Amino acid sequence: VYLASIAVCVLIGAVVDWCLSRFHRWHILILSCTSGVLFALVCVTYQQAGYWKNGVTLFTRAVAVAPQSAMANNNLAAELPDDESRLHIFQRAAELEPQYIVAQRNVAGWYFRHGKIALMEQAYERGIQMLADKKHVSDDDVSIIFEYAEYLDGKGQSERAMSLLLRAVELTPNFSEASFNVGIKKEQAGLIDDAMHYYARAIALT
């Protein structure tokens, strides 16, 4: 955007220079109009610069401009203190775009940090279901599987954790981290040959 603005400014300068060379009688008018336009642009730039003060001001502005944007709401919540207002904005982001897995993962993470384990599990399970319903799953999306599988494994539900990690490989076959995580769990389970297979797969994908 900024590089494009430089090109526009150069073009305007060339046009003004051409006008000054062709219309000698209108020098004052041309220069006055140019100064007015530049002053207006300076004012707008000054106003916009205020929105870039920090992440909160930036994404507050983004939400004000696009209140229905799930990404804008999620990014705003990520910049806020870790209280309930932050949770509510994460939830709003997830509601605005039902297949926005990142926001749902952030909801689950908030519950985990605040010790609300039952609600955390519900949030993770909902995120897993969202993955199943999504047509095009990104690498970022399956991060919710990695987090939940780690929690389940620590809770003693290793089979469910492994099942989820294998599902991540199916959903994102070209994502090396998915294969690597399966390799780690296979190695921990003593399945060395299987672990080496997934490690080799991960290396080949990097």
Side-chain angles (χ1 to χ4, degrees):
V1 174
Y2 296 112
L3 290 176
S5 299
I6 293 173
V8 171
C9 289
V10 171
L11 179 61
I12 292 174
V15 171
V16 170
D17 182 66
W18 180 83
C19 289
L20 289 173
S21 64
R22 293 292 299 273
F23 305 102
H24 301 287
R25 296 181 179 179
W26 302 96
H27 276 197
I28 295 177
L29 178 60
I30 293 172
L31 290 174
S32 297
C33 291
T34 302
S35 298
V37 170
L38 289 175
F39 179 75
L41 291 174
V42 167
C43 292
V44 172
T45 300
Y46 179 80
Q47 180 186 35
Q48 292 297 320
Y51 299 134
W52 290 81
K53 182 178 180 181
N54 54 53
V56 174
T57 57
L58 176 61
F59 291 115
T60 296
R61 175 60 177 171
V63 170
V65 172
Q68 300 303 311
S69 169
M71 182 177 292
N73 278 273
N74 181 74
N75 289 344
L76 172 59
E79 296 291 335
L80 295 175
D82 201 26
D83 54 21
E84 288 198 5
S85 63
R86 187 187 204 192
L87 169 64
H88 294 157
I89 300 176
F90 278 141
Q91 290 174 325
R92 172 171 169 74
E95 291 169 0
L96 285 170
E97 190 174 332
Q99 292 189 335
Y100 190 34
I101 311 296
V102 172
Q104 185 62 28
R105 187 188 72 197
N106 287 333
V107 170
W110 190 94
Y111 283 134
F112 176 76
R113 291 190 300 277
H114 290 265
K116 300 185 177 183
I117 303 304
L119 291 173
M120 179 208 72
E121 291 180 349
Q122 292 176 16
Y124 273 127
E125 291 291 352
R126 183 169 184 267
I128 300 302
Q129 184 57 51
M130 291 164 68
L131 276 176
D133 297 336
K134 192 171 184 179
K135 292 183 179 179
H136 303 289
V137 177
S138 70
D139 294 348
D140 285 340
D141 289 337
V142 296
S143 293
I144 194 171
I145 288 182
F146 302 155
E147 291 180 4
Y148 194 35
E150 189 68 26
Y151 164 77
L152 291 173
D153 192 52
K155 195 180 177 183
Q157 299 183 24
S158 300
E159 290 187 7
R160 175 80 196 289
M162 179 61 74
S163 175
L164 288 174
L165 290 173
L166 289 171
R167 179 59 176 157
V169 173
E170 293 177 10
L171 292 170
T172 54
N174 296 319
F175 187 28
S176 61
E177 188 175 347
S179 293
F180 183 74
N181 286 336
V182 172
I184 291 175
K185 294 304 177 186
K186 291 287 188 180
E187 183 178 4
Q188 290 174 349
L191 303 172
I192 304 303
D193 289 342
D194 288 347
M196 295 303 296
H197 166 75
Y198 283 99
Y199 285 147
R201 177 189 173 96
I203 292 172
L205 290 172
T206 55

